[in-house]
Amino acid sequence: MDVVIIDVHARRAAHLEGLLDGTGGVADHNLAASTIINCIAIASDGKIVLGGDFNQKPMLVRLTSTGALDNTFDTDGHVEFDDNLSKIVDIRILAGNKILGCANAID
């Protein structure tokens, strides 16, 4: 069994099987000074979608199956939403690998 650790300087790890082959199981990206990963989803094409709170703003990040930022996703691999009152708490991958991010208000 492969154990994969995805670390985006969030101090949280995800354990997944069969991803990031050839990288030692680690994808390391410094996306924001303050990052909390709340959820991870794997699309049918093997791309990895992360959702959470990045610098107190909701953000979705998409990695390729090798762990690189997917530059076909908003040109730089991540989408930051202009809303500092919520965070992404769940992700669903829909038909056609469309991404549904669910947010939760922060009080």
Side-chain angles (χ1 to χ4, degrees), residues 37-50:
I37 301 298
N38 295 316
C39 47
I40 297 175
I42 309 301
S44 63
D45 59 2
K47 293 184 179 178
I48 304 161
V49 182
L50 310 171

Side-chain angles (χ1 to χ4, degrees), residues 31-32 36 38-39 49-62 73-74 76-92 98-104 106:
L31 298 173
I36 299 172
N38 295 316
C39 47
V49 182
L50 310 171
D53 177 0
F54 302 77
N55 284 338
Q56 299 180 343
K57 292 189 178 199
M59 184 184 285
L60 290 170
V61 176
R62 189 166 72 184
F73 186 66
D74 197 45
D76 59 2
H78 56 86
V79 176
E80 183 178 311
F81 299 93
D82 191 23
D83 175 5
N84 60 357
L85 299 177
S86 62
K87 60 184 175 180
I88 304 293
V89 295
D90 197 9
I91 300 171
R92 297 286 187 241
K98 292 183 180 179
I99 301 166
L100 174 63
C102 302
N104 186 12
I106 301 171

